């Protein structure tokens, strides 16, 4: 129990930062989202606050754009910190994209990418 609590404390102190940037995927016409490997890349700032700590998880309050969401994030004790960090970023990206899609803002993200490409060389 003590080792598990120390590991979760380590993850909270070193991997879950109060301010995070995630890459916004480009919404495709077929409903899929595509990550950009090169060229214009847009990022979304997310403010993270730990609301509650559980035995093997934390409840996070996420603030981005005009939204505030709560998300429970599971911290497996058997995984390396790098893998946990990747899962956290994947979870954050998923929450952001689902929020935008549920509010009908897929086209707005496409427009942000179009505007950024146009203004890239100005």
């Amino acid at each position: 129990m003590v080792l598990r609590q120390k590991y979760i404390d380590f993850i909270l102190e070193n991997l879950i930062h109060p301010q995070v940037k995630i890459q916004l995927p480009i919404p495709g016409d077929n409903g899929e989202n595509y990550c950009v490997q090169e060229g214009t890349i847009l990022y979304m700032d997310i403010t993270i606050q730990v609301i509650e700590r559980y035995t093997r998880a934390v409840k996070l309050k996420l603030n981005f754009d005009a939204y505030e969401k709560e998300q429970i994030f599971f911290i497996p004790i058997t995984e390396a910190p790098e893998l946990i960090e990747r899962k956290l970023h994947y979870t954050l990206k998923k929450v952001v994209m689902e929020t935008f899609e549920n509010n009908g803002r897929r086209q707005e993200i496409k427009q942000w990418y179009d505007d950024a490409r146009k203004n890239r060389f100005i």
Side-chain angles (χ1 to χ4, degrees):
M1 175 75 171
V2 174
L3 180 63
R4 177 179 297 156
Q5 189 60 41
K6 285 183 180 181
Y7 190 67
I8 290 178
D9 290 342
F10 171 80
I11 296 299
L12 289 174
E13 291 172 12
N14 295 295
L15 298 182
I16 300 179
H17 304 288
Q19 188 75 24
V20 176
K21 283 185 183 281
I22 62 154
Q23 178 183 349
L24 282 177
I26 299 175
D29 295 330
N30 60 357
E32 296 289 323
N33 297 320
Y34 301 97
C35 286
V36 179
Q37 298 298 324
E38 58 184 43
T40 304
I41 298 174
L42 295 179
Y43 294 94
M44 176 66 60
D45 290 326
I46 302 175
T47 305
I48 301 174
Q49 180 184 4
V50 177
I51 298 175
E52 293 182 49
R53 296 168 68 156
Y54 304 111
T55 305
R56 296 171 51 195
V58 291
K59 187 177 207 179
L60 304 174
K61 183 164 126 182
L62 311 173
N63 291 310
F64 56 94
D65 200 40
Y67 302 104
E68 184 176 291
K69 295 283 185 178
E70 290 184 2
Q71 179 73 28
I72 294 178
F73 181 69
F74 176 70
I75 302 174
I77 193 151
T78 59
E79 292 183 354
E82 295 84 9
L83 185 57
I84 293 171
E85 186 174 33
R86 270 188 265 155
K87 285 184 177 183
L88 174 65
H89 281 271
Y90 174 78
T91 301
L92 294 175
K93 189 183 296 188
K94 183 178 174 184
V95 168
V96 168
M97 289 308 293
E98 284 178 357
T99 302
F100 279 118
E101 288 176 8
N102 291 340
N103 289 298
R105 295 181 66 186
R106 280 181 71 84
Q107 202 59 35
E108 187 174 345
I109 295 174
K110 286 182 185 181
Q111 187 61 45
W112 289 347
Y113 266 101
D114 290 341
D115 293 344
R117 282 187 202 109
K118 290 175 187 174
N119 297 330
R120 185 172 156 189
F121 297 109
I122 294 179

